[in-house]
Every structure is written in C-alpha cells, then in structure tokens.
Amino acid sequence: MALKVDIALNARQAQRQAKDLGESFEDVADSLDDVAREAQRGGDKTDDALKDTGRAAERLEKKFKDLADGAKKQGRAGAEVGDGYKKGFEKASEGAEDFKQEAQQSAKETAASFDGSAESIVDMFQEVAANA
C-alpha cells in the first residue's frame, strides 16, 4: 500500500502543479489581451493624430494659397497705380512743355512789342497769365 500512497501523493502534487500552470497561462493570456488593447488604443491615437496633422496641413496650404493670391492682387494693384502715375506724369510733362512753348512765344511777342513803358510790362504779365 505504500506504493499506492506514494502514487496518490504524487498525483495530487501533479494536479496542483497542473492547476498552477493553467492559472499561469490564464495570467499570460490576460496580459496579452491587455497588450493588444493598449496597442489598439495607441494605433487609434496615432491614426487620430495623423488625421489632425493632415487637416492642419490642408489649412496651412490654404492659408499660403490665400496669401499668394493676395500678393498677386496687390502686385496687379501696384502695377495699376504705377501705370496711373506714369500716365499722370506724362500728361503733366506734356502740359509743362506746352506751357513752356506758350511762354516762350509770349515772351518773344512781348519782347517784340516792348517799349519800356509800365503798360508794356503789364501787358507782358497779362499775356503770360492768359496762356497759363
């Protein structure tokens, strides 16, 4: 009977060890489930972050495009202003040239008819003023 007792004791110990091993496998499985959940959460967070980054990049691109469009408009407006000034100065130059020619002509006419009297001097100023 001693042999049976020894076998029974060894069987109980084997059962206990098998049970402990089973519990250890359950703990490992739980830990792996936890790791899988955390990996999923991390993946979701990464996905969300990438989407947010993509949206931010799109907004930045739109702002740069708007800025470039505004710069083009300002450039065109500046060119139009510059053209307007150029035309204005050209007209002013033409007017000044016309005034110069009229003044020269008036001066020649006045000089030709100038007799030294005060009335001749007044006539000269009136002639220049009339042509201005």
Side-chain angles (χ1 to χ4, degrees):
M1 267 267 203
L3 186 58
K4 284 185 179 181
V5 173
D6 188 35
I7 292 175
L9 287 175
N10 284 338
R12 275 193 207 125
Q13 187 178 12
Q15 283 178 333
R16 195 174 337 128
Q17 288 175 347
K19 183 179 175 186
D20 291 344
L21 184 61
E23 290 174 0
S24 295
F25 280 133
E26 286 180 20
D27 291 344
V28 169
D30 290 344
S31 294
L32 289 174
D33 288 342
D34 292 344
V35 168
R37 270 193 302 276
E38 288 301 316
Q40 181 63 43
R41 286 184 194 138
D44 291 345
K45 287 179 182 178
T46 301
D47 187 47
D48 291 345
L50 288 174
K51 286 178 183 176
D52 290 345
T53 302
R55 286 189 290 268
E58 289 171 359
R59 286 191 302 268
L60 184 61
E61 179 184 15
K62 184 183 181 320
K63 286 181 182 179
F64 275 122
K65 185 181 180 309
D66 292 346
L67 182 63
D69 291 345
K72 284 179 187 177
K73 287 178 185 175
Q74 291 298 325
R76 285 192 295 270
E80 290 174 6
V81 168
D83 290 345
Y85 279 125
K86 183 178 178 184
K87 288 177 183 175
F89 282 124
E90 287 173 357
K91 287 181 181 179
S93 293
E94 290 172 7
E97 185 63 33
D98 290 346
F99 178 75
K100 177 182 165 187
Q101 290 173 357
E102 289 288 330
Q104 285 175 345
Q105 184 63 31
S106 294
K108 287 178 186 176
E109 290 172 8
T110 303
S113 65
F114 183 69
D115 62 7
S117 69
E119 189 176 313
S120 292
I121 294 172
V122 171
D123 288 342
M124 179 180 74
F125 283 117
Q126 285 178 344
E127 178 76 21
V128 171
N131 289 323

